[in-house]
Amino acid sequence: MKNLNLILAGVFFTLAASFGGLLLSGQVQLGQLNRAPAEEGGPLFPAKEPGLAIQGRQVYISLGCVACHTQQVRPAGQGNDIARGWAARPSVARDYILQSQVLIGSHRLGPDLVNYGARVKSDDELHTYLRTSVAGSVMPAYGFLYTQSKDGSFRPTEDAVALVAYLKSLKIDYSSPEAKLKQ
Amino acid sequence: MSQEHSSSRSSVSRIDASVSLPVRLFIISSILWLLVASVLSLIVALKLQVPSFLSDCAWFTYGRLEVLQRNAFIYGWASNALFALNLWIMSSLARFELKSSWLPVLGGLVWNLTLTYGLIQVLLGQLNGFALLEMPKEVAPAMVVAFLFAALWPAVAFARRPTGNVFVSQWYIIGATFVFPVITVVAQLMLLWCPTLGVMQALVHSWFYQNLILLWLGGSALSAIYYFIAKESGRTISAYYLATVGFWTYFLFASWTGPATLLGAPIPVWLQSVGVVAALMMLVPIVITAVNFFGTLAPRSGIAQSWNNTTLRFVLVGTVSFIVSALLSVVFSTRSLNALVRFTEFTQAQEHLAVYSFVSMVIFGAAYYILPRLTGSFWPSAKLVHLHFWASTLGSLLFVVAGLNHGWAAHGRTDFAVSALPGLVAAALLFVGHFAFALNAFGMLTAEEAPSSRRSY
């Protein structure tokens, strides 16, 4: 322990070990995932994201929505995510393979959004929600994403349109080889 | 509060003088960042109470300000301050006179300028979604190079030390300093430059994050705890032979704990289990450090004596917080308990306990020791020191207890009520404390320049 090189070598070893044990072996297992059908010959999931949704993800990232919203549903028995109706099945690694930046999040001040696209009713409703939020909620209103025209109606900016397309694209309403929808 | 001044030297020692310039630069920058981060915490806490506050413009959205706060706190405050601590502690242990102090000064300047640039970019909307890697990717290379210039010197001091003696603090400094650039480069490459596929990103991020918090911040702070407990109590560390084991097990297990922060996430279950095992193994270094610290202080009413010493009082709060936070992580990485508190304010409170109540309190304690020795003058106001101590201690206690309590209660509920008020009061208390600290520190650093100042040797 008197030698600088010895300490450095030791610490290097500890980091290298966890790097190899966690990240390299994780990469071996996760790095090869492809889109897959739930059943032989069926359509491939996850579906390709619409271009507008890809733009919308940038808006989501740039406004820091991940501070309050997660995008992951834990298996039943590990938390009550499914019981809360956030999705019918747990999220699996394959769901994320097409996403350029994975935003699973670590803090929930608001509901999980991984399957939000399956429960949103209409674009208009979502636009109104983002513009005004709801009274008494911690969710901030994003009024600056909208411009008001002369007749008093609100028009979404390009960012708002993209964001809504993104939120609507968030869906795990399909079965994957790892997790089937029950019904 | 303290008798420390009676022992203060009549002049600045040669070793202290040689590192004075960089250490001052780091401390001044760290305090400025601390103030920035404290104001941001206040705003963020206020936004949870009044969501419409400052919400008319993309720049000041909750999401961006929260990112700014976290980065200003970790990279601006804690990292700058640890540059100072590591350099000072290592030089004094290794009797090292720094010849080329302009190199760390340069490193410090680049570090702070890049950080400022990165945070402005974040404010303007150029950010990523990975905590503590939010700044645009071009920032990281500059920060890693700046880090090497700023933080390399303890290793040089260690290599050139005249005696063969080694003290446990030195290992922690070397280890912590080595970790930061390595994990940053790896995480930047695997997340931003050539992103890995899907949830691999979450795994890489958890590895980076745990190593950053536990090893760079935690390792450096542990070094300071060992140093100041031995130095200020004048005792030898009890069960010192265990400290080596403590050091190696801490570094070995901490760097595997990443997946334990991802329980239930869509990553392979065996990886989660490995993380949990590593988290449980952390009990070994926790027990060893606890035996070292409390075994040293507890006999012969050492705790009571420490309470009367400014530095040790802060360090003591930091040490207790370290143990509590580490034990909480052990207990709450068991799957069933983790499932209840994951994603809630419970985890935020745990994190606050680690980066504030542990790391920052230790830094404060160290600053109260180091600055008088650098400047050769006294802390201008003992009242402000008291105010700082109590505001910081009570503020973080309030934050942690309210967060743990609310997070624990949250698993039974389905609404999204937040306990915003305790957080706001806590942020206000911390702000008061930090302001008092800054006033005192800047009072001291500027008074010294004026020849007619109150130097009473």
Side-chain angles (χ1 to χ4, degrees):
Chain A
M1 284 304 297
K2 300 211 160 176
N3 189 318
L4 177 65
N5 295 339
L6 204 70
I7 306 180
L8 288 181
V11 174
F12 175 79
F13 167 77
T14 63
L15 277 186
S18 65
F19 174 81
L22 299 175
L23 304 193
L24 287 186
S25 54
Q27 175 70 15
V28 167
Q29 197 169 347
L30 296 170
Q32 315 300 329
L33 283 177
N34 281 316
R35 303 203 303 147
E39 249 108 53
E40 196 69 27
L44 297 178
F45 286 113
K48 290 250 163 68
E49 302 171 291
L52 201 55
I54 296 175
Q55 285 176 23
R57 173 179 293 113
Q58 283 317 118
V59 181
Y60 186 92
I61 294 175
S62 130
L63 292 176
C65 311
V66 70
C68 298
H69 292 287
T70 55
Q71 292 184 18
Q72 54 175 321
V73 163
R74 293 171 293 174
Q78 259 184 291
N80 54 357
D81 301 359
I82 292 186
R84 287 174 90 165
W86 286 334
R89 66 160 175 89
S91 328
V92 294
R94 200 184 297 276
D95 297 337
Y96 298 86
I97 56 173
L98 297 179
Q99 306 181 4
S100 56
Q101 223 172 69
V102 170
L103 302 163
I104 64 172
S106 62
H107 191 211
R108 282 178 185 156
L109 281 178
D112 185 86
L113 297 178
V114 77
N115 195 34
Y116 182 68
R119 54 178 191 270
V120 61
K121 289 187 200 73
S122 71
D123 285 19
D124 283 349
E125 197 187 61
L126 183 46
H127 277 303
T128 314
Y129 186 75
L130 290 176
R131 186 168 57 79
T132 59
S133 179
V134 280
S137 162
V138 185
M139 165 88 185
Y142 289 89
F144 57 83
L145 290 176
Y146 298 84
T147 52
Q148 195 166 19
S149 50
K150 288 209 185 66
D151 61 355
S153 65
F154 290 92
R155 289 169 50 77
T157 57
E158 197 182 324
D159 278 356
V161 174
L163 182 60
V164 163
Y166 172 63
L167 292 172
K168 283 171 60 191
S169 79
L170 295 173
K171 278 181 195 166
I172 50 168
D173 56 356
Y174 51 87
S175 286
S176 86
E178 295 83 12
K180 307 269 184 238
L181 297 172
K182 289 280 157 46
Q183 287 90 21
Chain B
M1 173 189 307
S2 118
Q3 295 304 307
E4 70 184 23
H5 303 319
S6 60
S7 69
S8 85
R9 280 160 268 173
S10 56
S11 66
V12 178
S13 78
R14 276 176 55 184
I15 290 172
D16 287 354
S18 80
V19 295
S20 174
L21 191 62
V23 169
R24 274 174 211 231
L25 171 76
F26 296 141
I27 290 191
I28 292 172
S29 343
S30 73
I31 297 177
L32 291 177
W33 283 114
L34 180 66
L35 293 178
V36 171
S38 318
V39 173
L40 287 167
S41 309
L42 258 181
I43 301 179
V44 168
L46 195 59
K47 272 169 158 297
L48 285 185
Q49 185 78 5
V50 190
S52 59
F53 175 64
L54 282 183
S55 72
D56 302 329
C57 160
W59 291 15
F60 304 120
T61 45
Y62 180 88
R64 284 190 199 166
L65 293 187
E66 193 237 17
V67 169
L68 286 185
Q69 193 276 336
R70 178 168 44 241
N71 284 272
F73 189 86
I74 301 288
Y75 294 126
W77 152 246
S79 297
N80 265 310
L82 293 175
F83 293 155
L85 256 60
N86 289 351
L87 178 58
W88 190 87
I89 290 177
M90 185 62 100
S91 313
S92 88
L93 280 174
R95 323 268 346 124
F96 174 71
E97 272 185 56
L98 182 65
K99 292 286 180 324
S100 36
S101 62
W102 63 276
L103 283 169
V105 167
L106 183 71
L109 289 176
V110 176
W111 176 270
N112 287 302
L113 287 177
T114 338
L115 182 61
T116 313
Y117 166 83
L119 293 187
I120 290 175
Q121 291 295 313
V122 167
L123 200 63
L124 298 178
Q126 291 301 313
L127 61 155
N128 304 296
F130 304 109
L132 290 178
L133 293 169
E134 289 103 340
M135 288 185 282
K137 64 179 175 195
E138 70 267 18
V139 168
M143 284 188 69
V144 169
V145 173
F147 181 94
L148 293 179
F149 277 93
L152 186 70
W153 305 100
V156 174
F158 185 75
R160 298 225 186 119
R161 72 196 187 284
T163 63
N165 295 338
V166 180
F167 186 60
V168 50
S169 288
Q170 293 172 303
W171 316 332
Y172 276 98
I173 292 178
I174 302 279
T177 310
F178 179 78
V179 165
F180 181 88
V182 175
I183 58 168
T184 308
V185 167
V186 170
Q188 288 281 336
L189 284 174
M190 295 180 81
L191 292 175
L192 303 178
W193 294 84
C194 5
T196 44
L197 190 77
V199 285
M200 247 323 271
Q201 295 178 4
L203 189 62
V204 174
H205 178 252
S206 75
W207 179 82
F208 164 79
Y209 199 82
Q210 287 296 94
N211 277 318
L212 181 79
I213 302 290
L214 294 177
L215 295 185
W216 162 234
L217 301 183
S220 303
L222 280 173
S223 142
I225 298 184
Y226 272 109
Y227 180 84
F228 288 107
I229 283 188
K231 187 90 181 175
E232 281 290 75
S233 72
R235 303 174 176 191
T236 44
I237 297 288
S238 109
Y240 184 69
Y241 55 93
L242 287 177
T244 324
V245 184
F247 169 77
W248 285 116
T249 49
Y250 185 74
F251 271 72
L252 188 61
F253 298 132
S255 72
W256 287 79
T257 56
T261 62
L262 292 176
L263 297 189
I267 62 164
V269 174
W270 72 267
L271 280 171
Q272 300 178 30
S273 305
V274 169
V276 172
V277 172
L280 294 180
M281 296 302 284
M282 286 294 281
L283 268 177
V284 177
I286 297 166
V287 169
I288 290 177
T289 43
V291 166
N292 283 162
F293 300 151
F294 293 106
T296 309
L297 284 185
R300 289 171 281 125
S301 61
I303 303 272
Q305 286 164 25
S306 318
W307 194 249
N308 291 324
N309 172 304
T310 312
T311 295
L312 278 187
R313 188 187 280 202
F314 277 94
V315 169
L316 209 56
V317 173
T319 311
V320 172
S321 306
F322 165 68
I323 310 273
V324 174
S325 104
L327 287 178
L328 274 180
S329 322
V330 171
V331 173
F332 283 87
S333 39
T334 49
R335 273 174 201 278
S336 49
L337 288 175
N338 184 281
L340 300 180
V341 298
R342 179 119 168 74
F343 305 123
T344 68
E345 259 132 289
F346 195 94
T347 33
Q348 301 244 308
Q350 270 178 294
E351 195 164 313
H352 182 91
L353 202 55
V355 298
Y356 191 89
S357 314
F358 161 38
V359 173
S360 301
M361 289 302 269
V362 171
I363 295 175
F364 291 139
Y368 281 113
Y369 185 92
I370 294 175
L371 276 181
R373 282 157 180 82
L374 274 192
T375 58
S377 44
F378 296 152
W379 286 92
S381 156
K383 283 210 183 69
L384 285 178
V385 179
H386 266 288
L387 179 63
H388 175 204
F389 178 79
W390 287 110
S392 280
T393 306
L394 296 179
S396 55
L397 194 68
L398 175 65
F399 188 90
V400 169
V401 170
L404 293 179
N405 180 42
H406 183 268
W408 177 251
H411 71 264
R413 290 205 318 265
T414 48
D415 64 289
F416 292 100
V418 251
S419 58
L421 201 58
L424 188 58
V425 175
L429 275 172
L430 295 187
F431 178 77
V432 169
H434 300 159
F435 194 71
F437 174 57
L439 265 185
N440 230 356
F442 288 130
M444 183 172 193
L445 288 162
T446 49
E448 175 211 21
E449 254 82 83
S452 64
S453 70
R454 53 172 112 183
R455 282 199 210 183
S456 37
Y457 294 140

